[in-house]
Amino acid sequence: MDLISALLFLAGLCIALAIALAVANRWLKVEEDPRIDVVEDALPGANCGACGSPGCRAFAEKVIAGEAMPGECPVGGPEGALYVASILGIDAGSVEKKVARLLCAGGNDVAVQVGEYEGYSSCRAAATVAGGFKGCTFGCLGLADCEVACTFDAISMMPNGLPLVDLEACTACGDCVEACPKGLFKIMPVRQKLIVQCRSILEGEAVTDLCKVGCNGCTRCAADAPAGLIEMEHNLPVIDPNRPDLQTEIATYRCPTGAIVWMEGQQFPERHRALKGTKESEETDRAV
Amino acid sequence: MLPFLNQGAQSFRHGIHPEDYKAMTRDMPLERMPFMEEVVLPLRQHLGAPSVALVKPGEKVFRGQLIGEAPAFVSANLHASVTGTVKRVEPHHHASGKLEEAIVIERDPYSPQSLYGEQKIDWEDFSPQELIDHIQYAGFVGLGGAAFPTHVKMTVPEGKKARFFIVNAAECEPYLNSDFRILLEWTEAIFLGIRISLKILGAERAYIGVETNKQEAIDRLREMMPSDLPCEVVPLVTKYPQGAEKMLTDAVLDKEIPSGKLPIDIEVLVNNVGTVAGIGQYFSYRQPLIERVVTVTGPGIKRPANLIVPIGTRLSDVIEFCGGLHENTRQILFGGPMMGSAQRFLDVPIMKGTSGLLFLTDQEVFPREEYACIKCLRCVDACPVYLNPSRLGLLAKERKYEDMMEFHILDCMECGSCSYVCPSNIPLVQRFRVAKGLLREKMAREKAKQKA
């Protein structure tokens, strides 16, 4: 008897709740724009926050509301933005490919180390101990905080201790910018080809004694470049990002240390080829 | 109710008992370090905004002259520590590991290096605000290590009051003896500093908290204590981190400071004994903060000593004065072994907050292999602010920094007790520092975003 009454009770409860759900579905439904789901499906779904919204759905809502352009999602890239734009029949906005660039070229083959660090293997931990073990106060410490932080596996550490950003995989989400304690990453459009791979504010031998490829603040690039492109600030050339038309490789020709470079796409291209190529080439690269 | 002050030693709960290694320099009287050819005075030697240089290269300056002015309330003035000529104002290596603007002064070799404007200050008739203005002018900061501007601390916020003034002479860091030597040798200056502080604060009672491994100091303070000074010497159990102001307040008055609050919220104000003695000296002969006591110690240095060092003296000069280093020296720390910061360059200057120089050899410093957490909870028993370092450490290892907020990571004061007791050699405090840095950056970014 007890058994049957229990079964009946549960069955009754199920039916009552089912009716409540049915009523809620029929009468209490919140109308939502069906396009939000479509756009969300079209987005990469990484929920990385690079667009400034808390996730892909929030971004989709903004796009539908006209508060954001599809091109503002850096992860989807130009194709993704155009796809979303075609679904909605709107303008994609600027769909320029952006990428994270490392503003340091001082690997352990060219930069001096003045200390030994044997603690917790993290750039940020090393940086809190007297700024790290490197001679240069501004340079990359090479303990791979950025590699760990990268959501898209776009960063791998090279044999010389510097991180390599894969141009194809990088979505310019900015994780590495936040992770680096030295602030060495900068998100730049790929068309920005003239790049200073150094952040040292020192000048002359104070720089070159510590790193062979650091910028010594000689100002030759600023003199050689078209007027108005390069300004010197704290012994570093600052390239005006709003004048891509003025960019020229000539600015790099007389650089005594090679700190300013002309970058066609991939950063550190030889290392990238070696790392992505066969194992043999990786070994030869180490030997070099 | 006040605790029974003279019945044995008091302390706070939790904490650790590291070997104190103080014997090396314990009985060495204070020794004056000569003026070096060049001193480097960074504009950032305190918490808050860096001071602004008032002098240009080529200018003559006198020992004790104001050369850097505080641009804001939370900042401190800077005075020349030698008579000479300003050579450069340039970015210089700094104990924090960064490059900071610094004034480099070349010593005048023919100057007697007497103090600029030396005179006794008749402070008895001053109002509390005038006394604070004097302290602010003299550029005093907390000399225990954190270098928080003293005039900011002494300015009691409206609606609050300070009933008790505690002089922090716990000196719980192993190896260091600078506070101990100050207690023994500058006793009169300490009493004068306490009198002035009591007048500023309108406090009813002062306490000097001294750990019992400094028994001579306790005896001497009790013997010399003026009968009209409402001050008591409180012997404390030798324990780390008793010198942290929250722990010290708990130990001396048996009053706990709630999370996120300051001692002033429970009517207490704590100052380091070096600062108090410095204030006493300033009012006796108008010497601003231009020199400080530094314990030079550790197995790595040939001649350990307790030195009075002009602020801005380079580390390399101190090493040379102390006979050089042993060959196996491996690490140089500014401060003690628990909270001191390792140095990368030998040309960094001694600053207002540098309480000691510790030279460790490869006998003490070597890489330790990290093992998994065995949940022994020794860290939980050690943590003076009642956190759960074991749990926090696991979260930090997985870089779940957001979740650490739930476990009150921002209450951590980075004393390192957890790392010290961990049998698995887990770098707990190191990970917490990383987490705290990232969380603070994130909070600052969010705040900036909200503003925009």
Side-chain angles (χ1 to χ4, degrees):
Chain A
M1 196 54 203
D2 279 356
L3 187 69
I4 290 169
S5 67
L7 279 173
L8 281 176
F9 175 74
L10 281 177
L13 191 66
C14 285
I15 290 164
L17 288 174
I19 290 168
L21 281 175
V23 167
N25 188 37
R26 183 79 180 79
W27 304 105
L28 303 172
K29 194 172 173 184
V30 178
E31 288 295 337
E32 205 175 37
D33 194 331
R35 293 178 302 170
I36 293 176
D37 285 325
V38 180
V39 173
E40 194 191 354
D41 285 345
L43 289 172
N47 291 321
C48 62
C51 55
S53 302
C56 289
R57 190 170 181 89
F59 180 66
E61 282 167 11
K62 272 194 187 168
V63 171
I64 303 276
E67 287 164 13
M69 302 288 256
E72 283 171 36
C73 169
V75 181
E79 301 91 52
L82 288 171
Y83 179 52
V84 173
S86 70
I87 294 173
L88 297 173
I90 57 168
D91 185 20
S94 94
V95 289
E96 188 173 48
K97 165 89 175 157
K98 288 186 177 176
V99 67
R101 299 290 198 195
L102 181 69
L103 303 185
C104 173
N108 51 25
D109 45 353
V110 287
V112 179
Q113 285 207 7
V114 293
E116 278 174 50
Y117 177 73
E118 285 154 344
Y120 172 30
S121 179
S122 146
C123 307
R124 207 165 268 271
T128 56
V129 185
F133 42 83
K134 242 186 177 177
C136 173
T137 307
F138 304 91
C140 170
L141 294 169
L143 294 174
D145 274 8
C146 49
E147 188 185 24
V148 178
C150 182
T151 317
F152 300 94
D153 282 336
I155 297 180
S156 45
M157 300 308 287
M158 298 190 285
N160 68 351
L162 292 182
L164 178 74
V165 181
D166 186 0
L167 182 71
E168 298 299 314
C170 176
T171 61
C173 69
D175 281 349
C176 50
V177 179
E178 284 173 23
C180 182
K182 302 272 180 185
L184 291 174
F185 279 105
K186 198 170 177 196
I187 306 290
M188 291 184 187
V190 176
R191 69 173 157 76
Q192 166 99 39
K193 290 179 177 164
L194 201 57
I195 291 171
V196 186
Q197 293 186 126
C198 183
R199 291 291 299 270
S200 175
I201 61 164
L202 296 172
E203 66 176 322
E205 281 170 9
V207 177
T208 47
D209 284 352
L210 297 172
C211 177
K212 285 185 207 154
V213 296
C215 169
N216 63 2
C218 70
T219 74
R220 283 179 205 165
C221 53
D224 292 355
L229 179 66
I230 301 181
E231 292 268 339
M232 295 302 289
E233 204 176 290
H234 300 301
N235 294 317
L236 277 176
V238 178
I239 299 157
D240 188 349
N242 303 319
R243 299 303 301 273
D245 51 311
L246 288 181
Q247 282 186 54
T248 159
E249 205 177 343
I250 295 170
T252 67
Y253 289 169
R254 282 203 303 144
C255 179
T257 59
I260 185 165
V261 289
W262 184 254
M263 209 174 281
E264 300 269 5
Q266 181 64 46
Q267 192 173 14
F268 307 121
E270 320 82 60
R271 303 277 188 177
H272 181 253
R273 264 198 300 283
L275 222 64
K276 295 284 159 184
T278 57
K279 213 175 171 194
E280 261 172 59
S281 66
E282 200 177 340
E283 273 160 20
T284 47
D285 184 68
R286 272 211 189 109
V288 170
Chain B
M1 266 305 283
L2 286 178
F4 303 103
L5 287 167
N6 294 317
Q7 292 182 1
Q10 305 171 186
S11 196
F12 60 104
R13 286 195 295 159
H14 288 196
I16 55 172
H17 301 271
E19 181 75 41
D20 76 0
Y21 297 106
K22 291 193 194 263
M24 210 175 275
T25 54
R26 198 185 155 80
D27 299 322
M28 293 182 172
L30 293 178
E31 190 181 339
R32 194 164 275 280
M33 165 117 190
F35 297 96
M36 288 295 142
E37 259 166 55
E38 246 182 40
V39 293
V40 181
L41 294 153
L43 293 169
R44 190 193 288 278
Q45 300 203 29
H46 46 264
L47 284 178
S51 35
V52 179
L54 294 176
V55 290
K56 289 191 187 67
E59 244 174 83
K60 279 266 195 195
V61 292
F62 297 96
R63 181 163 172 259
Q65 182 188 333
L66 185 70
I67 56 168
E69 199 177 30
F73 182 58
V74 185
S75 180
N77 284 343
L78 183 64
H79 301 260
S81 57
V82 295
T83 299
T85 317
V86 177
K87 268 180 91 182
R88 302 181 293 274
V89 181
E90 56 167 23
H92 195 276
H93 288 132
H94 186 269
S96 69
K98 299 194 179 95
L99 288 167
E100 297 278 3
E101 285 287 313
I103 300 172
V104 183
I105 302 174
E106 189 181 33
R107 181 193 60 178
D108 175 2
Y110 304 109
S111 161
Q113 297 294 348
S114 51
L115 193 61
Y116 177 71
E118 179 172 342
Q119 73 183 91
K120 187 175 180 304
I121 301 175
D122 293 322
W123 60 274
E124 280 89 351
D125 304 331
F126 284 3
S127 72
Q129 188 55 47
E130 280 171 322
L131 291 170
I132 290 181
D133 290 345
H134 267 275
I135 289 172
Q136 179 166 12
Y137 167 79
F140 278 104
V141 302
L143 296 181
F148 187 77
T150 304
H151 66 272
V152 182
K153 206 174 196 178
M154 301 288 264
T155 308
V156 179
E158 212 149 302
K160 290 177 185 168
K161 59 173 187 165
R163 277 179 67 203
F164 306 109
F165 178 65
I166 302 180
V167 178
N168 185 353
E171 195 156 61
C172 57
E173 277 265 6
Y175 286 103
L176 303 187
N177 273 318
S178 47
D179 288 356
F180 175 61
R181 292 316 309 183
I182 290 173
L183 286 172
L184 285 185
E185 301 187 31
W186 294 352
T187 324
E188 293 293 343
I190 294 171
F191 293 141
L192 180 56
I194 292 174
R195 264 182 219 283
I196 292 164
S197 303
L198 287 177
K199 174 149 192 198
I200 292 175
L201 300 169
E204 56 194 60
R205 220 168 164 66
Y207 301 96
I208 308 177
V210 190
E211 289 190 347
T212 45
N213 62 352
K214 293 178 266 292
Q215 191 58 46
E216 299 98 304
I218 296 172
D219 295 343
R220 185 170 166 81
L221 283 170
R222 285 192 169 149
E223 185 189 312
M224 308 250 308
M225 182 76 65
S227 53
D228 62 327
L229 193 66
C231 177
E232 234 158 324
V233 184
V234 184
L236 304 169
V237 177
T238 305
K239 196 154 103 176
Y240 178 87
Q242 197 138 238
E245 59 179 16
K246 291 193 173 189
M247 274 61 260
L248 189 73
T249 310
D250 194 357
V252 173
L253 294 174
D254 197 19
K255 282 187 176 182
E256 204 172 298
I257 299 165
S259 157
K261 301 272 186 194
L262 294 168
I264 194 70
D265 292 312
I266 58 164
E267 308 183 330
V268 176
L269 202 129
V270 184
N271 253 347
N272 177 266
V273 62
T275 316
V276 175
I279 290 171
Q281 287 172 342
Y282 172 74
F283 284 95
S284 336
Y285 49 89
R286 214 191 175 103
Q287 172 177 298
L289 186 53
I290 53 171
E291 58 188 25
R292 68 154 298 143
V293 178
V294 178
T295 301
V296 183
T297 182
I301 190 88
K302 290 209 169 125
R303 194 175 69 81
N306 291 308
L307 300 179
I308 303 170
V309 183
I311 286 164
T313 307
R314 287 198 174 98
L315 171 59
S316 50
D317 291 332
V318 179
I319 293 175
E320 204 178 310
F321 181 68
C322 290
L325 298 175
H326 289 294
E327 232 163 59
N328 58 352
T329 304
R330 185 132 185 187
Q331 192 175 46
I332 303 175
L333 293 162
F334 268 32
M338 298 300 295
M339 286 192 78
S341 61
Q343 293 306 312
R344 178 167 60 131
F345 289 104
L346 291 181
D347 63 347
V348 291
I350 307 299
M351 297 194 302
K352 290 179 178 178
T354 312
S355 50
L357 297 178
L358 179 58
F359 299 85
L360 296 175
T361 65
D362 43 23
Q363 300 291 309
E364 295 87 31
V365 186
F366 48 85
R368 292 173 169 88
E369 200 183 335
E370 180 187 339
Y371 299 99
C373 173
I374 54 168
K375 313 260 181 351
C376 65
L377 301 191
R378 283 190 209 179
C379 51
V380 176
D381 285 339
C383 183
V385 290
Y386 309 112
L387 298 179
N388 181 347
S390 159
R391 184 59 183 271
L392 286 167
L394 290 173
L395 288 172
K397 193 172 184 184
E398 291 167 28
R399 307 202 182 215
K400 290 182 181 164
Y401 300 124
E402 296 287 289
D403 298 352
M404 292 170 78
M405 292 289 277
E406 249 173 75
F407 293 89
H408 308 284
I409 179 66
L410 294 183
D411 282 344
C412 167
M413 55 174 191
E414 301 169 16
C415 68
S417 300
C418 48
S419 297
Y420 180 83
V421 294
C422 182
S424 290
N425 300 327
I426 299 173
L428 291 165
V429 73
Q430 292 86 335
R431 289 199 178 132
F432 300 160
R433 289 183 77 167
V434 170
K436 283 173 73 181
L438 281 164
L439 286 169
R440 287 226 181 88
E441 266 177 35
K442 192 166 178 185
M443 279 171 3
R445 265 203 305 277
E446 268 160 22
K447 215 176 175 186
K449 217 186 245 175
Q450 267 177 8
K451 252 189 194 167

